[in-house]
Amino acid sequence: MLEESQLEPSRGPIELGEPDGASGSRRLWPNASRNLASSGVSFSFVLFRQFVDDDLGCASYLIGDPATGEAFVVDPAYAIEQYVEAARDEAVRIVRVLETHTHADHVSGHGRFALEHAVPVSIHPLAEPEFPFEPLEDGQELDAGSVSVQVVHTPGHRPEHCAFVVGEDLVLTGDSLFIGDAARPDLAIEAREGAEGLFHSLQRLVQLPDVYRVYPGHVAGSLCGAAMSPAHSSTVGEEKRTNVALEHGDVQAFVNATASVSTPRPPTTALVVAINKGPFVGAPAALVELETPGDATILDVRPAVVHAGGHVHGAFNVPVSGSSFATRAGFVLDPDERIVIHATDVGEAGRAASGLRAVGFLELAGYVTAVPATERLEPVELDELERLLAEGSVQVVDVREKSERDEGYIPGSLHMPFRLLRELGADGVDTDRPVVTICESGMRASIAASVLTAAGVEARPVLRGGVNDWPAGTVSFRRCGT
């Protein structure tokens, strides 16, 4: 979590022009407030904190005025304890939740704030929420004490999307302008329509002064943008110079470049949207320890090497210690099935449960730790795989994404992204030969091997190294038009 406060002038709202064809190094200041006079301009301390979920690549914010003790939380995660604790530390009271839009990749905490703390929720009415809300409109100004927050309607990613200009220093861009890229336009409406709206919204945002800080709703690690930077903030001027989505000078060029989205859409998207749009969802039930998993689907969240050394029959291995745990688990699990977590200890189980709940798996049956784990996977080293492949005694399945495979692949390997394997099962692979799964680092190879093994396929993962380490060299693939 990044914590920041800043000295900020208060001079009134920012005026942004209506788009053509549109429809509608920083200092940490103490937890205190005082006024300074400088050339007749009034300054005050402003509370500003950025919270980043590195697993999902999501960012949320706490902004407020320590002098009056009022604060807003923007795009809160389902785990709201972090904001409640931060507000308590800063001696402020959260008086409103601001949603940039109905999120499709993580469960919002707005319901918990409403139910547990009686905090009102504000969102644009085009979201058509099924919960009580206070509507946002373009140009509207909201105040957290002396901190001004101006609403800028920025449709494209979703019709209801809004950005928030905070004072005269920064803008919270949500899922519109990212650092290095822009949001995908295909999640709520037809991609070309979304791309056209997004172009005009981006043009509005870059009218802000170049010195304005840009704080997005997502950072690298999210599936919402392919070229996102790992940086957590930037400036309007820097984005105008370097952002690939701002390179297109007219709407048609932007639409042609962005409407053909190739990033996979998580299967949890519809579920998460329904949760976030529907009636308020309260705190999750306590995660209970079970003696046995019963007939549940078992998600083994232990490290890949531990899973390989012994696991429960039929378990899927998605290590919680790996990157993008929740997103990857979402590609493997069915929200309608009974899910039990197999973890090393209660702490590991809790981390996994938090990640799963963040992407819509709210009803978890529990977790197990001390259960018979008698089945094994036999990992393959790269030198052994080279020999087996030359003999023709194994089938190599490359479980990376298409864009990764295009950069280089092992001759003779089959391409099947790990996220498709549960649905495909044994279809598409030669069950007469053992299957060896490979990716870049071993994480997805372990997931894939566990899914195939659960489907009755003899599968072995490459856990140390990957395609880029292949000793015999790889072949690149160039597609027409690239």
Side-chain angles (χ1 to χ4, degrees):
M1 180 179 69
L2 176 68
E3 300 181 6
E4 298 177 296
S5 296
Q6 67 218 27
L7 198 64
E8 177 182 26
S10 177
R11 303 177 192 155
I14 303 301
E15 298 296 333
L16 296 177
E18 187 68 18
D20 293 336
S23 57
S25 125
R26 303 169 65 81
R27 302 174 191 166
L28 179 65
W29 294 91
N31 179 23
S33 178
R34 61 189 177 93
N35 290 328
L36 303 177
S38 176
S39 303
V41 179
S42 176
F43 291 80
S44 62
F45 286 102
V46 174
L47 168 66
F48 178 79
R49 290 195 182 188
Q50 180 188 53
F51 302 78
V52 175
D53 182 333
D54 291 320
D55 186 63
L56 289 173
C58 297
S60 52
Y61 300 90
L62 180 68
I63 53 178
D65 181 357
T68 63
E70 293 186 344
F72 295 162
V73 62
V74 180
D75 290 342
Y78 183 57
I80 67 170
E81 290 79 8
Q82 57 191 321
Y83 315 109
V84 174
E85 180 181 354
R88 182 171 57 246
D89 290 345
E90 297 289 349
V92 296
R93 180 171 60 92
I94 296 172
V95 298
R96 184 180 300 273
V97 172
L98 296 178
E99 291 280 25
T100 55
H101 64 296
T102 303
H103 304 281
D105 57 353
H106 69 279
V107 175
S108 172
H110 66 231
R112 292 190 60 192
F113 270 114
L115 295 173
E116 298 171 35
H117 301 279
V119 176
V121 180
S122 293
I123 193 169
H124 196 282
L126 285 177
E128 300 180 341
E130 299 168 15
F131 55 80
F133 72 103
E134 297 183 1
L136 298 174
E137 62 179 37
D138 190 52
Q140 179 182 2
E141 186 175 331
L142 302 168
D143 297 307
S146 65
V147 180
S148 168
V149 178
Q150 186 177 359
V151 180
V152 186
H153 186 212
T154 47
H157 178 69
R158 292 188 67 89
E160 73 272 14
H161 191 281
C162 292
F164 302 117
V165 178
V166 182
E168 293 188 2
D169 181 68
L170 62 90
V171 56
L172 307 181
T173 55
D175 285 27
S176 55
L177 180 64
F178 296 144
I179 311 305
D181 203 355
R184 59 190 296 175
D186 66 319
L187 291 180
I189 56 177
E190 193 272 328
R192 296 187 68 85
E193 180 185 352
E196 183 173 347
L198 183 58
F199 174 83
H200 293 303
S201 293
L202 294 176
Q203 296 307 303
R204 294 193 75 188
L205 292 173
V206 297
Q207 290 179 33
L208 288 165
D210 286 359
V211 296
Y212 270 49
R213 299 294 300 181
V214 174
Y215 286 90
H218 290 291
V219 298
S222 166
L223 294 179
C224 288
M228 277 189 286
S229 164
H232 290 181
S233 69
S234 180
T235 65
V236 171
E238 182 65 17
E239 292 312 296
K240 288 163 67 174
R241 289 188 293 272
T242 63
N243 193 303
V244 296
L246 300 177
E247 294 176 350
H248 310 285
D250 63 84
V251 63
Q252 193 57 53
F254 181 84
V255 170
N256 291 340
T258 62
S260 299
V261 180
S262 61
T263 307
R265 179 187 299 197
T268 54
T269 294
L271 170 65
V272 171
V273 168
I275 292 172
N276 287 335
K277 186 176 179 178
F280 289 141
V281 175
L287 186 68
V288 298
E289 184 170 11
L290 307 173
E291 291 186 3
T292 64
D295 60 354
T297 296
I298 302 170
L299 182 68
D300 189 339
V301 301
R302 302 173 301 159
V305 292
V306 178
H307 173 84
H311 58 267
V312 179
H313 175 74
F316 303 138
N317 179 225
V318 185
V320 71
S321 58
S323 62
S324 302
F325 162 75
T327 300
R328 290 174 176 175
F331 280 117
V332 172
L333 299 172
D334 184 335
D336 294 327
E337 62 192 351
R338 181 173 177 267
I339 299 168
V340 169
I341 297 168
H342 183 191
T344 305
D345 52 38
V346 62
E348 191 174 68
R351 292 192 298 274
S354 180
L356 292 172
R357 288 164 175 159
V359 294
F361 297 94
L362 302 180
E363 303 295 333
L364 299 171
Y367 73 99
V368 293
T369 55
V371 289
T374 57
E375 295 206 0
R376 298 177 179 272
L377 290 179
E378 296 295 335
V380 181
E381 299 295 334
L382 287 172
D383 55 353
E384 180 188 3
L385 179 57
E386 187 177 20
R387 175 179 59 79
L388 294 173
L389 187 59
E391 294 173 352
S393 58
V394 296
Q395 182 173 16
V396 178
V397 177
D398 185 339
V399 300
R400 302 172 302 159
E401 295 301 319
K402 174 176 68 66
S403 60
E404 297 172 279
R405 183 172 170 84
D406 287 354
E407 296 296 319
Y409 63 91
I410 299 172
S413 63
L414 177 70
H415 182 224
M416 296 177 69
F418 85 95
R419 57 187 172 82
L420 304 178
L421 288 176
R422 187 172 185 194
E423 181 179 356
L424 293 173
D427 293 343
V429 298
D430 181 1
T431 57
D432 292 332
R433 292 182 296 168
V435 170
V436 175
T437 58
I438 191 169
C439 59
E440 285 189 350
S441 63
M443 193 67 66
R444 286 173 290 176
S446 179
I447 299 172
S450 70
V451 172
L452 288 172
T453 299
V457 178
E458 183 182 352
R460 303 174 62 188
V462 176
L463 296 183
R464 296 199 296 179
V467 175
N468 294 337
D469 306 302
W470 185 242
T474 59
V475 177
S476 61
F477 185 80
R478 184 176 178 86
R479 298 181 183 273
C480 293
T482 63

Tab-separated table of all heavy atoms in Angstrom, residues 1-2 50-61 75-80 82-83 105-108 216-223 228 230 232 320 322-327 351-359:
chain	number	residue	atom	x	y	z
A	1	MET	N	0.848	-1.186	0.000
A	1	MET	CA	0.000	0.000	0.000
A	1	MET	C	0.882	1.233	0.000
A	1	MET	O	1.802	1.377	0.786
A	1	MET	CB	-0.898	-0.004	1.223
A	1	MET	CG	-1.825	1.206	1.310
A	1	MET	SD	-2.874	1.116	2.772
A	1	MET	CE	-1.687	1.345	4.073
A	2	LEU	N	0.595	2.134	-0.873
A	2	LEU	CA	1.320	3.387	-0.954
A	2	LEU	C	0.548	4.444	-0.214
A	2	LEU	O	-0.634	4.628	-0.424
A	2	LEU	CB	1.482	3.775	-2.436
A	2	LEU	CG	2.133	5.117	-2.737
A	2	LEU	CD1	3.593	5.062	-2.338
A	2	LEU	CD2	1.986	5.449	-4.203
A	50	GLN	N	-3.181	5.692	-1.798
A	50	GLN	CA	-3.433	4.741	-2.872
A	50	GLN	C	-3.239	3.320	-2.337
A	50	GLN	O	-2.264	3.044	-1.650
A	50	GLN	CB	-2.471	4.977	-4.041
A	50	GLN	CG	-2.671	4.028	-5.223
A	50	GLN	CD	-1.576	4.169	-6.265
A	50	GLN	OE1	-0.401	4.085	-5.942
A	50	GLN	NE2	-1.961	4.407	-7.513
A	51	PHE	N	-4.175	2.435	-2.643
A	51	PHE	CA	-4.110	1.033	-2.236
A	51	PHE	C	-4.040	0.193	-3.506
A	51	PHE	O	-4.908	0.318	-4.374
A	51	PHE	CB	-5.352	0.625	-1.439
A	51	PHE	CG	-5.587	1.439	-0.197
A	51	PHE	CD1	-6.132	2.716	-0.271
A	51	PHE	CD2	-5.262	0.930	1.050
A	51	PHE	CE1	-6.363	3.466	0.868
A	51	PHE	CE2	-5.478	1.669	2.195
A	51	PHE	CZ	-6.031	2.946	2.106
A	52	VAL	N	-3.031	-0.656	-3.610
A	52	VAL	CA	-2.865	-1.470	-4.813
A	52	VAL	C	-2.908	-2.951	-4.457
A	52	VAL	O	-2.169	-3.412	-3.587
A	52	VAL	CB	-1.546	-1.150	-5.534
A	52	VAL	CG1	-1.333	-2.091	-6.711
A	52	VAL	CG2	-1.549	0.297	-6.035
A	53	ASP	N	-3.799	-3.666	-5.123
A	53	ASP	CA	-3.864	-5.123	-5.026
A	53	ASP	C	-2.960	-5.667	-6.125
A	53	ASP	O	-3.343	-5.693	-7.293
A	53	ASP	CB	-5.307	-5.597	-5.226
A	53	ASP	CG	-5.468	-7.109	-5.100
A	53	ASP	OD1	-4.485	-7.834	-5.358
A	53	ASP	OD2	-6.577	-7.563	-4.781
A	54	ASP	N	-1.747	-6.074	-5.759
A	54	ASP	CA	-0.784	-6.509	-6.763
A	54	ASP	C	-1.215	-7.779	-7.479
A	54	ASP	O	-0.824	-8.018	-8.623
A	54	ASP	CB	0.590	-6.728	-6.124
A	54	ASP	CG	1.236	-5.426	-5.674
A	54	ASP	OD1	1.115	-4.428	-6.406
A	54	ASP	OD2	1.840	-5.404	-4.580
A	55	ASP	N	-2.026	-8.600	-6.833
A	55	ASP	CA	-2.466	-9.844	-7.453
A	55	ASP	C	-3.412	-9.568	-8.616
A	55	ASP	O	-3.275	-10.133	-9.698
A	55	ASP	CB	-3.143	-10.739	-6.417
A	55	ASP	CG	-3.489	-12.113	-6.974
A	55	ASP	OD1	-2.557	-12.840	-7.345
A	55	ASP	OD2	-4.694	-12.440	-7.057
A	56	LEU	N	-4.368	-8.694	-8.414
A	56	LEU	CA	-5.342	-8.366	-9.460
A	56	LEU	C	-4.941	-7.154	-10.283
A	56	LEU	O	-5.534	-6.904	-11.332
A	56	LEU	CB	-6.716	-8.115	-8.833
A	56	LEU	CG	-7.443	-9.330	-8.272
A	56	LEU	CD1	-8.707	-8.885	-7.540
A	56	LEU	CD2	-7.785	-10.319	-9.376
A	57	GLY	N	-3.984	-6.382	-9.800
A	57	GLY	CA	-3.614	-5.166	-10.505
A	57	GLY	C	-4.631	-4.058	-10.344
A	57	GLY	O	-4.750	-3.186	-11.206
A	58	CYS	N	-5.391	-4.067	-9.258
A	58	CYS	CA	-6.435	-3.066	-9.023
A	58	CYS	C	-5.938	-1.998	-8.048
A	58	CYS	O	-5.202	-2.293	-7.109
A	58	CYS	CB	-7.689	-3.719	-8.441
A	58	CYS	SG	-8.460	-4.912	-9.540
A	59	ALA	N	-6.383	-0.761	-8.271
A	59	ALA	CA	-6.022	0.349	-7.389
A	59	ALA	C	-7.279	1.010	-6.854
A	59	ALA	O	-8.275	1.148	-7.562
A	59	ALA	CB	-5.164	1.370	-8.121
A	60	SER	N	-7.236	1.432	-5.596
A	60	SER	CA	-8.338	2.149	-4.966
A	60	SER	C	-7.738	3.268	-4.126
A	60	SER	O	-6.527	3.314	-3.899
A	60	SER	CB	-9.190	1.200	-4.115
A	60	SER	OG	-8.376	0.465	-3.203
A	61	TYR	N	-8.604	4.166	-3.651
A	61	TYR	CA	-8.087	5.407	-3.075
A	61	TYR	C	-8.895	5.875	-1.879
A	61	TYR	O	-10.110	5.669	-1.813
A	61	TYR	CB	-8.077	6.509	-4.141
A	61	TYR	CG	-7.218	6.148	-5.319
A	61	TYR	CD1	-7.749	5.461	-6.415
A	61	TYR	CD2	-5.859	6.434	-5.322
A	61	TYR	CE1	-6.951	5.081	-7.487
A	61	TYR	CE2	-5.050	6.078	-6.385
A	61	TYR	CZ	-5.600	5.397	-7.466
A	61	TYR	OH	-4.799	5.019	-8.510
A	75	ASP	N	-13.566	3.347	-5.446
A	75	ASP	CA	-13.413	1.988	-5.983
A	75	ASP	C	-12.884	1.004	-4.944
A	75	ASP	O	-11.883	0.314	-5.166
A	75	ASP	CB	-12.499	1.987	-7.211
A	75	ASP	CG	-13.135	2.638	-8.418
A	75	ASP	OD1	-14.372	2.796	-8.434
A	75	ASP	OD2	-12.391	3.000	-9.362
A	76	PRO	N	-13.535	0.895	-3.788
A	76	PRO	CA	-13.010	0.017	-2.734
A	76	PRO	C	-13.070	-1.455	-3.104
A	76	PRO	O	-13.997	-1.914	-3.784
A	76	PRO	CB	-13.946	0.303	-1.551
A	76	PRO	CG	-15.241	0.709	-2.197
A	76	PRO	CD	-14.828	1.508	-3.411
A	77	ALA	N	-12.067	-2.198	-2.646
A	77	ALA	CA	-12.068	-3.651	-2.776
A	77	ALA	C	-13.040	-4.252	-1.771
A	77	ALA	O	-13.486	-3.596	-0.824
A	77	ALA	CB	-10.659	-4.190	-2.551
A	78	TYR	N	-13.371	-5.517	-1.954
A	78	TYR	CA	-14.289	-6.219	-1.051
A	78	TYR	C	-13.725	-6.270	0.365
A	78	TYR	O	-14.469	-6.217	1.344
A	78	TYR	CB	-14.544	-7.621	-1.589
A	78	TYR	CG	-15.542	-8.431	-0.796
A	78	TYR	CD1	-16.843	-7.955	-0.581
A	78	TYR	CD2	-15.201	-9.674	-0.283
A	78	TYR	CE1	-17.764	-8.704	0.147
A	78	TYR	CE2	-16.111	-10.434	0.435
A	78	TYR	CZ	-17.385	-9.939	0.652
A	78	TYR	OH	-18.295	-10.681	1.368
A	79	ALA	N	-12.401	-6.373	0.495
A	79	ALA	CA	-11.755	-6.381	1.808
A	79	ALA	C	-11.613	-4.938	2.284
A	79	ALA	O	-10.592	-4.283	2.075
A	79	ALA	CB	-10.393	-7.061	1.733
A	80	ILE	N	-12.647	-4.421	2.938
A	80	ILE	CA	-12.675	-3.001	3.291
A	80	ILE	C	-11.898	-2.684	4.566
A	80	ILE	O	-11.736	-1.516	4.914
A	80	ILE	CB	-14.122	-2.490	3.448
A	80	ILE	CG1	-14.790	-3.139	4.675
A	80	ILE	CG2	-14.918	-2.749	2.177
A	80	ILE	CD1	-16.126	-2.497	5.030
A	82	GLN	N	-8.878	-2.589	5.197
A	82	GLN	CA	-7.709	-1.740	4.961
A	82	GLN	C	-8.071	-0.253	4.957
A	82	GLN	O	-7.318	0.582	5.459
A	82	GLN	CB	-7.056	-2.123	3.627
A	82	GLN	CG	-7.980	-2.034	2.426
A	82	GLN	CD	-7.398	-2.670	1.190
A	82	GLN	OE1	-6.206	-2.566	0.917
A	82	GLN	NE2	-8.245	-3.342	0.409
A	83	TYR	N	-9.239	0.089	4.432
A	83	TYR	CA	-9.653	1.497	4.398
A	83	TYR	C	-10.141	1.958	5.772
A	83	TYR	O	-9.874	3.094	6.183
A	83	TYR	CB	-10.764	1.705	3.371
A	83	TYR	CG	-10.509	1.024	2.062
A	83	TYR	CD1	-11.261	-0.097	1.677
A	83	TYR	CD2	-9.515	1.460	1.195
A	83	TYR	CE1	-11.031	-0.740	0.476
A	83	TYR	CE2	-9.275	0.824	-0.008
A	83	TYR	CZ	-10.036	-0.286	-0.363
A	83	TYR	OH	-9.805	-0.925	-1.538
A	105	ASP	N	-13.918	-7.067	-12.773
A	105	ASP	CA	-12.791	-7.934	-12.433
A	105	ASP	C	-12.609	-8.161	-10.946
A	105	ASP	O	-11.818	-8.999	-10.543
A	105	ASP	CB	-11.494	-7.358	-13.013
A	105	ASP	CG	-11.235	-5.936	-12.540
A	105	ASP	OD1	-12.116	-5.368	-11.874
A	105	ASP	OD2	-10.156	-5.401	-12.850
A	106	HIS	N	-13.324	-7.403	-10.114
A	106	HIS	CA	-13.216	-7.635	-8.674
A	106	HIS	C	-14.508	-7.204	-7.992
A	106	HIS	O	-15.192	-6.286	-8.453
A	106	HIS	CB	-12.033	-6.868	-8.072
A	106	HIS	CG	-12.209	-5.387	-8.060
A	106	HIS	ND1	-11.969	-4.602	-9.158
A	106	HIS	CD2	-12.619	-4.533	-7.078
A	106	HIS	CE1	-12.195	-3.338	-8.863
A	106	HIS	NE2	-12.607	-3.267	-7.596
A	107	VAL	N	-14.827	-7.872	-6.911
A	107	VAL	CA	-16.019	-7.536	-6.133
A	107	VAL	C	-15.758	-6.252	-5.358
A	107	VAL	O	-14.745	-6.106	-4.684
A	107	VAL	CB	-16.387	-8.684	-5.177
A	107	VAL	CG1	-17.561	-8.285	-4.288
A	107	VAL	CG2	-16.722	-9.944	-5.969
A	108	SER	N	-16.677	-5.324	-5.478
A	108	SER	CA	-16.539	-4.055	-4.777
A	108	SER	C	-16.897	-4.195	-3.302
A	108	SER	O	-17.713	-5.029	-2.916
A	108	SER	CB	-17.447	-3.001	-5.416
A	108	SER	OG	-17.473	-1.809	-4.647
A	216	PRO	N	-4.526	5.686	-11.848
A	216	PRO	CA	-5.495	4.840	-12.537
A	216	PRO	C	-6.187	3.833	-11.629
A	216	PRO	O	-5.804	3.643	-10.474
A	216	PRO	CB	-4.620	4.112	-13.560
A	216	PRO	CG	-3.325	3.920	-12.805
A	216	PRO	CD	-3.158	5.171	-11.952
A	217	GLY	N	-7.199	3.176	-12.181
A	217	GLY	CA	-7.899	2.122	-11.461
A	217	GLY	C	-7.226	0.777	-11.570
A	217	GLY	O	-7.584	-0.165	-10.857
A	218	HIS	N	-6.267	0.672	-12.492
A	218	HIS	CA	-5.528	-0.579	-12.670
A	218	HIS	C	-4.069	-0.283	-12.959
A	218	HIS	O	-3.726	0.744	-13.541
A	218	HIS	CB	-6.103	-1.415	-13.822
A	218	HIS	CG	-7.438	-2.003	-13.530
A	218	HIS	ND1	-7.627	-3.007	-12.608
A	218	HIS	CD2	-8.661	-1.716	-14.032
A	218	HIS	CE1	-8.914	-3.321	-12.556
A	218	HIS	NE2	-9.554	-2.546	-13.402
A	219	VAL	N	-3.209	-1.232	-12.585
A	219	VAL	CA	-1.787	-1.192	-12.908
A	219	VAL	C	-1.434	-2.522	-13.546
A	219	VAL	O	-2.290	-3.403	-13.689
A	219	VAL	CB	-0.921	-0.939	-11.653
A	219	VAL	CG1	-1.253	0.413	-11.044
A	219	VAL	CG2	-1.107	-2.045	-10.603
A	220	ALA	N	-0.190	-2.658	-13.982
A	220	ALA	CA	0.237	-3.887	-14.635
A	220	ALA	C	-0.115	-5.101	-13.776
A	220	ALA	O	0.066	-5.094	-12.565
A	220	ALA	CB	1.734	-3.845	-14.905
A	221	GLY	N	-0.606	-6.141	-14.430
A	221	GLY	CA	-1.096	-7.330	-13.743
A	221	GLY	C	-2.570	-7.539	-13.990
A	221	GLY	O	-3.094	-8.637	-13.845
A	222	SER	N	-3.246	-6.488	-14.403
A	222	SER	CA	-4.654	-6.577	-14.752
A	222	SER	C	-4.813	-6.991	-16.212
A	222	SER	O	-3.949	-6.705	-17.054
A	222	SER	CB	-5.326	-5.213	-14.522
A	222	SER	OG	-6.592	-5.164	-15.131
A	223	LEU	N	-5.937	-7.628	-16.519
A	223	LEU	CA	-6.252	-7.988	-17.903
A	223	LEU	C	-6.956	-6.862	-18.639
A	223	LEU	O	-7.372	-7.034	-19.777
A	223	LEU	CB	-7.134	-9.250	-17.925
A	223	LEU	CG	-6.489	-10.537	-17.428
A	223	LEU	CD1	-7.496	-11.679	-17.479
A	223	LEU	CD2	-5.250	-10.882	-18.239
A	228	MET	N	0.018	-1.839	-20.104
A	228	MET	CA	0.108	-1.056	-18.877
A	228	MET	C	1.490	-1.107	-18.248
A	228	MET	O	2.126	-2.153	-18.209
A	228	MET	CB	-0.929	-1.533	-17.863
A	228	MET	CG	-2.296	-0.947	-18.073
A	228	MET	SD	-3.396	-1.340	-16.713
A	228	MET	CE	-3.718	-3.063	-17.047
A	230	PRO	N	4.168	-0.867	-15.023
A	230	PRO	CA	4.126	-1.253	-13.608
A	230	PRO	C	4.078	-0.054	-12.675
A	230	PRO	O	3.861	-0.216	-11.475
A	230	PRO	CB	5.418	-2.059	-13.432
A	230	PRO	CG	6.339	-1.546	-14.485
A	230	PRO	CD	5.459	-1.209	-15.653
A	232	HIS	N	2.694	3.107	-10.649
A	232	HIS	CA	1.400	3.304	-10.009
A	232	HIS	C	0.806	4.676	-10.267
A	232	HIS	O	-0.339	4.932	-9.908
A	232	HIS	CB	1.521	3.067	-8.503
A	232	HIS	CG	1.748	1.629	-8.146
A	232	HIS	ND1	1.867	1.199	-6.836
A	232	HIS	CD2	1.877	0.517	-8.911
A	232	HIS	CE1	2.066	-0.117	-6.825
A	232	HIS	NE2	2.072	-0.545	-8.070
A	320	VAL	N	-1.125	-19.925	-4.293
A	320	VAL	CA	-1.463	-18.566	-3.874
A	320	VAL	C	-0.219	-17.694	-3.807
A	320	VAL	O	-0.307	-16.454	-3.840
A	320	VAL	CB	-2.197	-18.591	-2.519
A	320	VAL	CG1	-1.257	-18.958	-1.380
A	320	VAL	CG2	-2.887	-17.263	-2.250
A	322	GLY	N	1.928	-17.495	-6.108
A	322	GLY	CA	2.257	-17.067	-7.459
A	322	GLY	C	1.542	-15.787	-7.848
A	322	GLY	O	0.650	-15.303	-7.153
A	323	SER	N	1.927	-15.239	-8.969
A	323	SER	CA	1.293	-14.017	-9.453
A	323	SER	C	-0.086	-14.306	-10.017
A	323	SER	O	-0.374	-15.426	-10.461
A	323	SER	CB	2.166	-13.363	-10.529
A	323	SER	OG	2.325	-14.219	-11.648
A	324	SER	N	-0.947	-13.302	-9.979
A	324	SER	CA	-2.294	-13.388	-10.558
A	324	SER	C	-3.069	-14.603	-10.052
A	324	SER	O	-3.796	-15.254	-10.812
A	324	SER	CB	-2.223	-13.406	-12.086
A	324	SER	OG	-1.566	-12.265	-12.573
A	325	PHE	N	-2.916	-14.917	-8.776
A	325	PHE	CA	-3.587	-16.098	-8.218
A	325	PHE	C	-5.080	-16.087	-8.471
A	325	PHE	O	-5.658	-17.051	-8.986
A	325	PHE	CB	-3.318	-16.199	-6.716
A	325	PHE	CG	-4.274	-17.092	-5.988
A	325	PHE	CD1	-4.184	-18.469	-6.091
A	325	PHE	CD2	-5.316	-16.549	-5.219
A	325	PHE	CE1	-5.094	-19.307	-5.449
A	325	PHE	CE2	-6.225	-17.371	-4.567
A	325	PHE	CZ	-6.120	-18.758	-4.687
A	326	ALA	N	-5.752	-15.010	-8.094
A	326	ALA	CA	-7.212	-14.987	-8.182
A	326	ALA	C	-7.689	-15.089	-9.613
A	326	ALA	O	-8.654	-15.810	-9.915
A	326	ALA	CB	-7.748	-13.722	-7.521
A	327	THR	N	-7.040	-14.378	-10.523
A	327	THR	CA	-7.435	-14.432	-11.933
A	327	THR	C	-7.247	-15.829	-12.491
A	327	THR	O	-8.124	-16.357	-13.184
A	327	THR	CB	-6.612	-13.430	-12.753
A	327	THR	OG1	-6.843	-12.109	-12.251
A	327	THR	CG2	-7.003	-13.474	-14.219
A	351	ARG	N	-5.283	-16.292	2.895
A	351	ARG	CA	-4.865	-15.489	1.740
A	351	ARG	C	-5.566	-15.963	0.471
A	351	ARG	O	-6.003	-15.146	-0.357
A	351	ARG	CB	-3.352	-15.556	1.570
A	351	ARG	CG	-2.583	-14.871	2.684
A	351	ARG	CD	-1.109	-14.698	2.325
A	351	ARG	NE	-0.438	-15.979	2.114
A	351	ARG	CZ	0.099	-16.701	3.096
A	351	ARG	NH1	0.007	-16.285	4.352
A	351	ARG	NH2	0.727	-17.834	2.824
A	352	ALA	N	-5.690	-17.266	0.338
A	352	ALA	CA	-6.371	-17.802	-0.831
A	352	ALA	C	-7.849	-17.436	-0.827
A	352	ALA	O	-8.411	-17.045	-1.856
A	352	ALA	CB	-6.198	-19.318	-0.892
A	353	ALA	N	-8.483	-17.552	0.329
A	353	ALA	CA	-9.901	-17.218	0.423
A	353	ALA	C	-10.146	-15.757	0.074
A	353	ALA	O	-11.108	-15.417	-0.629
A	353	ALA	CB	-10.432	-17.530	1.819
A	354	SER	N	-9.284	-14.879	0.556
A	354	SER	CA	-9.428	-13.458	0.253
A	354	SER	C	-9.336	-13.210	-1.248
A	354	SER	O	-10.125	-12.451	-1.820
A	354	SER	CB	-8.350	-12.662	0.997
A	354	SER	OG	-8.464	-11.283	0.718
A	355	GLY	N	-8.382	-13.865	-1.888
A	355	GLY	CA	-8.244	-13.711	-3.330
A	355	GLY	C	-9.431	-14.242	-4.096
A	355	GLY	O	-9.911	-13.621	-5.046
A	356	LEU	N	-9.935	-15.397	-3.690
A	356	LEU	CA	-11.091	-15.988	-4.369
A	356	LEU	C	-12.337	-15.137	-4.196
A	356	LEU	O	-13.111	-14.932	-5.145
A	356	LEU	CB	-11.332	-17.396	-3.844
A	356	LEU	CG	-10.261	-18.446	-4.186
A	356	LEU	CD1	-10.537	-19.739	-3.439
A	356	LEU	CD2	-10.206	-18.693	-5.684
A	357	ARG	N	-12.551	-14.640	-3.001
A	357	ARG	CA	-13.718	-13.788	-2.777
A	357	ARG	C	-13.641	-12.508	-3.607
A	357	ARG	O	-14.661	-11.975	-4.048
A	357	ARG	CB	-13.842	-13.464	-1.292
A	357	ARG	CG	-14.295	-14.661	-0.457
A	357	ARG	CD	-14.046	-14.449	1.015
A	357	ARG	NE	-14.578	-15.544	1.834
A	357	ARG	CZ	-14.165	-15.826	3.058
A	357	ARG	NH1	-13.212	-15.082	3.614
A	357	ARG	NH2	-14.709	-16.826	3.731
A	358	ALA	N	-12.439	-12.018	-3.818
A	358	ALA	CA	-12.263	-10.795	-4.595
A	358	ALA	C	-12.757	-10.937	-6.024
A	358	ALA	O	-13.134	-9.949	-6.656
A	358	ALA	CB	-10.794	-10.370	-4.593
A	359	VAL	N	-12.781	-12.163	-6.550
A	359	VAL	CA	-13.242	-12.367	-7.925
A	359	VAL	C	-14.582	-13.106	-7.981
A	359	VAL	O	-14.936	-13.682	-9.005
A	359	VAL	CB	-12.179	-13.100	-8.765
A	359	VAL	CG1	-10.945	-12.217	-8.932
A	359	VAL	CG2	-11.792	-14.448	-8.162
